[in-house]
Amino acid sequence: MSENPELDTVEGETVEAQPNGRRPWLVPLVIVSVLALVLAGFGGYAAGLARNAPPAEDSADVGFLRDMYEHHSQAVEMSLIFREKSENPTLRAIAYDIATSQGNQMGQMEGMLRVWDWRLTRDGEPMQWMMAGGHDHGSGASTRPMIQDNGLMDGMASPEQMQQLRDATGTEAERLFLTLMITHHKAGIEMAKAGSELADTDFVKDLATKMYNGQTSETELLESELAKLP
């Protein structure tokens, strides 16, 4: 740490701190640290689960892990962006919980894809595994792709919305974070429900069920906090 409290050094470069003393470079560093710790401890566990032949690349199992990994990564990013600027202890704690829990799940998903010898990234459009499974998302209606007009998966914030979150302060930032995360979680719940129903492996079924339960509970909490804002 430098003697100047407003400056710090990362890999030989001087970085100016934000007015509140927090460092913007902590966001990517935290993400990398969380994933590294989870992957380090996941190898042996995943190997035990993958003794049978891995699922095909076009399976719901592989598709779900790839798409949910991408979905989770934005939730982690939003949470850390907000936590770095917020002074609200309750919302900072919620953001931390989302970032760490979903970061942990990202490590599990990446670890299993590695064990199965599949790439983390996909070819083509997202959510094809969900359409191939004929999932109706509980609506009883015909299937629809969970993709927005801008090409992003349902619930994902646009680049413009992410920039708004970076720029917002005070109550505006709190309201925007909660609103974006509720939308994000509701789509994640729908994806998790489909994953638990369409996957063949116990690993994906169990993980998707945990995501469904966890994000359902978190959504209720987020909505409660949103209702408290002036």
Side-chain angles (χ1 to χ4, degrees):
M1 183 75 69
S2 65
E3 295 182 359
N4 186 341
E6 299 302 318
L7 296 176
D8 217 330
T9 302
V10 180
E11 295 183 354
E13 296 184 8
T14 300
V15 180
E16 185 175 353
Q18 295 176 336
N20 60 10
R22 300 190 181 106
R23 271 61 177 176
W25 43 267
L26 284 178
V27 172
L29 285 181
V30 170
I31 295 175
V32 171
S33 297
V34 169
L35 293 181
L37 287 172
V38 174
L39 285 172
F42 185 71
Y45 170 70
L49 293 174
R51 292 173 182 169
N52 298 324
E57 187 170 17
D58 62 354
S59 66
D61 301 75
V62 173
F64 171 80
L65 294 183
R66 285 174 169 172
D67 285 345
M68 189 59 87
Y69 184 97
E70 180 179 337
H71 213 262
H72 269 27
S73 66
Q74 190 185 70
V76 171
E77 182 181 7
M78 285 196 293
S79 297
L80 294 177
I81 288 172
F82 173 75
R83 190 173 187 274
E84 278 297 297
K85 69 170 66 190
S86 176
E87 302 296 336
N88 184 314
T90 299
L91 296 186
R92 278 172 53 82
I94 292 173
Y96 178 81
D97 286 345
I98 292 173
T100 53
S101 63
Q102 295 206 14
N104 180 286
Q105 290 170 351
M106 286 171 67
Q108 293 181 55
M109 290 186 281
E110 181 176 357
M112 184 54 76
L113 286 170
R114 287 186 180 185
V115 169
W116 286 339
D117 202 24
W118 292 121
R119 292 180 290 108
L120 181 60
T121 56
R122 63 173 178 271
D123 294 323
E125 298 294 323
M127 305 309 302
Q128 294 305 302
W129 61 273
M130 200 168 179
M131 295 296 292
H135 191 74
D136 67 3
H137 323 309
S139 66
S142 60
T143 57
R144 66 168 179 84
M146 280 188 65
I147 304 175
Q148 304 176 58
D149 291 340
N150 58 12
L152 296 173
M153 287 181 283
D154 276 4
M156 297 279 281
S158 68
E160 294 77 16
Q161 289 172 318
M162 292 296 290
Q163 189 58 50
Q164 289 172 6
L165 181 60
R166 294 185 185 96
D167 296 338
T169 58
T171 302
E172 178 189 0
E174 293 172 357
R175 187 178 304 279
L176 184 57
F177 168 72
L178 290 170
T179 301
L180 291 176
M181 192 60 74
I182 288 169
T183 299
H184 200 277
H185 266 31
K186 286 183 176 179
I189 290 168
E190 192 172 353
M191 287 175 62
K193 184 175 186 294
S196 67
E197 294 174 354
L198 298 177
D200 290 324
T201 64
D202 289 340
F203 173 81
V204 175
K205 285 181 176 293
D206 292 345
L207 183 61
T209 299
K210 291 177 182 176
M211 291 176 181
Y212 177 88
N213 293 334
Q215 292 194 42
T216 297
S217 177
E218 284 178 350
T219 299
E220 294 173 356
L221 177 59
L222 293 168
E223 290 177 333
S224 173
E225 291 300 320
L226 181 60
K228 295 177 184 177
L229 294 182

